[in-house]
Amino acid sequence: MPEFDPADHDISEIGPKVQAIDDVDELRALLEAEEDGEDRAPVKQVIESRIENLEAEDEADDEGLVDLTDMSTAEAANAIRGIDDPDELRELLETEEAGEDRGGVKTQIQNRLDSVTEDEDADEGEAEEEPKTPEERHPDLDHPTADKRHVRAVEAGDYRDMWVYCETQQGELIDVSKEMLGKARQLMDDYNDEYDADEKVIAFVIGEDIAEQAELAIEYGADVALYQEDDRLDRFLHKPYTEIFVDAARGTGHPYGREDRPDVEWHGYDEPRYVLFPATNNGRDLSATVQAELDSGLASDCSDLHITDVLISNPAKTGEPGTKKEFERVLHMKRPDFSGFEYSTILCLDKPDREFHPQGGSVIPGAFDVPEPDPEREGEVVEWEAPLEDDWFGVEVTAHDQLDEGVDLTGREVIVAMGRGIGDDPSTGIELGLDLVDALEDADLGLSRGVITASYQFEGHVEQYITEERQIGESGQVVEPPVYIAAGISGAVQHKVGMDESDTIISINTNPDADIVDFSDYFIEGDLFEVLPAVTEALESGESIGAVAEAGGATDD
């Protein structure tokens, strides 16, 4: 039996687990389990690559000099990765030059030789060159950022707690703020159990007259809720919001913090261990500026989070080629991947000469459930008083209009989503979608990004429905209705992340090989201009959606 069941893990989780296995037989059992189960090509590729690497290392140990003659460049790179003897590498290089003389293979050997000899030089006590700024490396060039203050990371810092920026609108916490607090509470409860620790969830609210919202953050999971009030903070402004957050995040005595920062009992460390922001317009802006000021990284638009240890062999992170290092307490930030896989998991790891904290990410609204508030929950509410400078408020809003409340699709029973399949007659396509919405109870219209960004011309009353607030997907709303009807939508991963948790997915498409078919419960092959009127008519006559789908020639997923 394999060490774990690959079917219980997604691709991003399996990679680190496979790299930690050194037993070829164990890996073969794992490969067999994957072939008998999910049979995912990327997973099998990861396992097979690990097997090849280990076999190449064994061959090098058993037979001395590796024979690279029949290997591809990639196979040769794997074969020499475990060789630490410079003489053996030089001999391989001479053999390749006298034989196949392939440029790619020679480059791989030379790179490995350079790495090994650099390690030898370091072991012999040669002083490593201190990292230099671009200005120091190229003093002859004109550097437009030469006067910019460069904030470096803390050295040997003390990091604790998970901070959550809680955004408000109209003076009240928005749902994603509550969602993040609930997720942060669950993460830190598990963290404290796993690491025998006592670290906290710290909520931070900034605005005007928002003390009550800080108290509410305690009910949703925070241990400590900070708030800073000022009538000039009633609207989000990059500079003051960034400065206030960073001022509070840095501990007393921080090398880049203010000298008169008060010493508070609940914050006895240099910087937060983790920090979360909402992936809203304002939250995305703030997350970038705060993390830049704290000199750390950022994973944007995350859809899931978990904390665990991870074994890494990347020499840029370990500092020693050919070795592995375990990084503890790593926040795994799952987000949509544009390279073709469904998701990537981002890790913010330290390097030998630099620490990256806080580990930070922005969270897609709707990615987590809104927890039930607990009015009996106890916590500490703190009014923060970062000094505010007048030149931070260079923009003054003299007048504004109040927009409508907008469109919230997250609570609907049914969503009818329209995609590029409306292209032959966009106005009629949207009209057909609205007709179906009217035939259903508690339904609303959603749109794919393709409809929003296309140059379609819409006529009549349907034009008012073509707005970004109806967009579903990575950069739009995330929905989980009981029924999701996708008409003319191909199913790109950016759209999938916004709706694949729906209970029942019915897709309508002329292309039976469209990506959306793979994650639909029902698929109707046909033109939406023909299928939607039939579905609407059948519903108005009293038939169920399932009956309509089956009658229309649908196939089960």
Side-chain angles (χ1 to χ4, degrees), residues 28 92 229 272 305 417 484 487 531:
R28 294 192 186 282
L92 281 172
E229 294 180 319
L305 304 164
Y484 187 89
V531 175

PDB file of all heavy atoms in Angstrom, residues 28 92 229 272 305 417 484 487 531:
ATOM      1  N   ARG A  28       6.356   3.652  -6.877  1.00  0.00           N
ATOM      2  CA  ARG A  28       5.656   2.827  -7.880  1.00  0.00           C
ATOM      3  C   ARG A  28       4.264   2.440  -7.385  1.00  0.00           C
ATOM      4  O   ARG A  28       3.300   2.408  -8.157  1.00  0.00           O
ATOM      5  CB  ARG A  28       6.479   1.587  -8.207  1.00  0.00           C
ATOM      6  CG  ARG A  28       7.800   1.900  -8.915  1.00  0.00           C
ATOM      7  CD  ARG A  28       8.439   0.638  -9.476  1.00  0.00           C
ATOM      8  NE  ARG A  28       9.759   0.915 -10.022  1.00  0.00           N
ATOM      9  CZ  ARG A  28       9.980   1.473 -11.206  1.00  0.00           C
ATOM     10  NH1 ARG A  28       8.938   1.847 -11.944  1.00  0.00           N
ATOM     11  NH2 ARG A  28      11.211   1.695 -11.626  1.00  0.00           N
ATOM     12  N   LEU A  92      32.751  14.029 -16.996  1.00  0.00           N
ATOM     13  CA  LEU A  92      31.525  13.949 -17.795  1.00  0.00           C
ATOM     14  C   LEU A  92      31.505  15.020 -18.885  1.00  0.00           C
ATOM     15  O   LEU A  92      31.087  14.773 -20.014  1.00  0.00           O
ATOM     16  CB  LEU A  92      30.297  14.114 -16.886  1.00  0.00           C
ATOM     17  CG  LEU A  92      29.853  12.900 -16.077  1.00  0.00           C
ATOM     18  CD1 LEU A  92      28.751  13.295 -15.106  1.00  0.00           C
ATOM     19  CD2 LEU A  92      29.365  11.790 -17.000  1.00  0.00           C
ATOM     20  N   GLU A 229      -9.687  55.581  14.028  1.00  0.00           N
ATOM     21  CA  GLU A 229     -10.745  56.438  13.520  1.00  0.00           C
ATOM     22  C   GLU A 229     -10.220  57.838  13.231  1.00  0.00           C
ATOM     23  O   GLU A 229      -9.346  58.352  13.931  1.00  0.00           O
ATOM     24  CB  GLU A 229     -11.875  56.563  14.557  1.00  0.00           C
ATOM     25  CG  GLU A 229     -12.623  55.280  14.833  1.00  0.00           C
ATOM     26  CD  GLU A 229     -13.727  55.499  15.862  1.00  0.00           C
ATOM     27  OE1 GLU A 229     -13.499  56.227  16.845  1.00  0.00           O
ATOM     28  OE2 GLU A 229     -14.814  54.926  15.665  1.00  0.00           O
ATOM     29  N   PRO A 272       3.955  40.532  11.963  1.00  0.00           N
ATOM     30  CA  PRO A 272       3.043  39.386  11.935  1.00  0.00           C
ATOM     31  C   PRO A 272       3.661  38.192  11.200  1.00  0.00           C
ATOM     32  O   PRO A 272       4.474  38.357  10.285  1.00  0.00           O
ATOM     33  CB  PRO A 272       1.827  39.920  11.175  1.00  0.00           C
ATOM     34  CG  PRO A 272       1.899  41.409  11.320  1.00  0.00           C
ATOM     35  CD  PRO A 272       3.359  41.738  11.356  1.00  0.00           C
ATOM     36  N   LEU A 305      -6.715  28.255   1.951  1.00  0.00           N
ATOM     37  CA  LEU A 305      -5.538  28.469   2.783  1.00  0.00           C
ATOM     38  C   LEU A 305      -5.383  27.306   3.755  1.00  0.00           C
ATOM     39  O   LEU A 305      -6.372  26.807   4.284  1.00  0.00           O
ATOM     40  CB  LEU A 305      -5.667  29.769   3.595  1.00  0.00           C
ATOM     41  CG  LEU A 305      -5.929  31.069   2.840  1.00  0.00           C
ATOM     42  CD1 LEU A 305      -6.412  32.150   3.806  1.00  0.00           C
ATOM     43  CD2 LEU A 305      -4.671  31.525   2.114  1.00  0.00           C
ATOM     44  N   ALA A 417     -25.966  31.752 -16.173  1.00  0.00           N
ATOM     45  CA  ALA A 417     -24.760  32.477 -16.586  1.00  0.00           C
ATOM     46  C   ALA A 417     -24.594  32.390 -18.094  1.00  0.00           C
ATOM     47  O   ALA A 417     -24.658  31.304 -18.672  1.00  0.00           O
ATOM     48  CB  ALA A 417     -23.529  31.899 -15.889  1.00  0.00           C
ATOM     49  N   TYR A 484     -26.666  25.806 -11.110  1.00  0.00           N
ATOM     50  CA  TYR A 484     -25.919  26.766 -11.937  1.00  0.00           C
ATOM     51  C   TYR A 484     -26.082  26.347 -13.391  1.00  0.00           C
ATOM     52  O   TYR A 484     -25.724  25.228 -13.781  1.00  0.00           O
ATOM     53  CB  TYR A 484     -24.436  26.765 -11.553  1.00  0.00           C
ATOM     54  CG  TYR A 484     -23.611  27.839 -12.217  1.00  0.00           C
ATOM     55  CD1 TYR A 484     -23.468  29.084 -11.633  1.00  0.00           C
ATOM     56  CD2 TYR A 484     -22.963  27.607 -13.436  1.00  0.00           C
ATOM     57  CE1 TYR A 484     -22.699  30.086 -12.219  1.00  0.00           C
ATOM     58  CE2 TYR A 484     -22.201  28.598 -14.038  1.00  0.00           C
ATOM     59  CZ  TYR A 484     -22.076  29.837 -13.435  1.00  0.00           C
ATOM     60  OH  TYR A 484     -21.326  30.817 -14.023  1.00  0.00           O
ATOM     61  N   ALA A 487     -24.655  28.811 -20.036  1.00  0.00           N
ATOM     62  CA  ALA A 487     -25.049  28.787 -21.448  1.00  0.00           C
ATOM     63  C   ALA A 487     -23.983  29.467 -22.294  1.00  0.00           C
ATOM     64  O   ALA A 487     -23.705  30.652 -22.123  1.00  0.00           O
ATOM     65  CB  ALA A 487     -26.396  29.485 -21.630  1.00  0.00           C
ATOM     66  N   VAL A 531     -31.837  25.961 -27.322  1.00  0.00           N
ATOM     67  CA  VAL A 531     -32.057  25.212 -26.085  1.00  0.00           C
ATOM     68  C   VAL A 531     -32.755  26.053 -25.025  1.00  0.00           C
ATOM     69  O   VAL A 531     -33.705  25.602 -24.367  1.00  0.00           O
ATOM     70  CB  VAL A 531     -30.716  24.670 -25.541  1.00  0.00           C
ATOM     71  CG1 VAL A 531     -30.926  23.994 -24.188  1.00  0.00           C
ATOM     72  CG2 VAL A 531     -30.095  23.695 -26.528  1.00  0.00           C
TER      73      VAL A 531
END
